[in-house]
Amino acid sequence: MAKEIFLKFIQIVEENKGKTIGTIIGFIIAILVLTIGFFRTLFIVLCTWFGFYLGKKKDNQEDFREILDRILPPGREK
């Protein structure tokens, strides 16, 4: 009986991956806001997003210096 319930639960999760991931992320963010505060949580979320963004660009084999030039102002040429 418990095995059947568990298999049904896994089936529902697999059919709704986006909702499941979104719910888990929302729950984690809610816990962070309640425990460490809004601005610290916002900082963690922004750093995580930035890391994801850079990792996605690396996975797409884009030039890292080109990415930084778009984000940061270019330095002075001597």
Side-chain angles (χ1 to χ4, degrees):
M1 174 95 177
K3 186 176 181 179
E4 293 171 6
I5 294 172
F6 180 72
L7 291 175
K8 182 67 175 172
F9 175 75
I10 295 298
Q11 178 186 2
I12 291 170
V13 169
E14 287 178 353
E15 292 173 357
N16 299 296
K17 286 182 183 178
K19 293 176 188 174
T20 303
I21 292 171
T23 301
I24 291 169
I25 291 172
F27 183 72
I28 291 170
I29 289 174
I31 289 174
L32 287 172
V33 167
L34 291 173
T35 57
I36 64 174
F38 176 76
F39 290 107
R40 289 181 180 169
T41 300
L42 184 62
F43 178 73
I44 291 170
V45 169
L46 289 175
C47 288
T48 303
W49 175 83
F50 187 66
F52 172 81
Y53 176 78
L54 291 178
K56 182 179 172 186
K57 294 297 183 181
K58 184 176 182 336
D59 287 346
N60 293 337
Q61 298 178 351
E62 294 184 29
D63 185 27
F64 189 69
R65 288 185 182 188
E66 182 181 315
I67 295 167
L68 288 179
D69 284 342
R70 278 191 269 152
I71 296 171
L72 302 172
R76 294 187 197 183
E77 300 279 332
K78 288 187 178 185

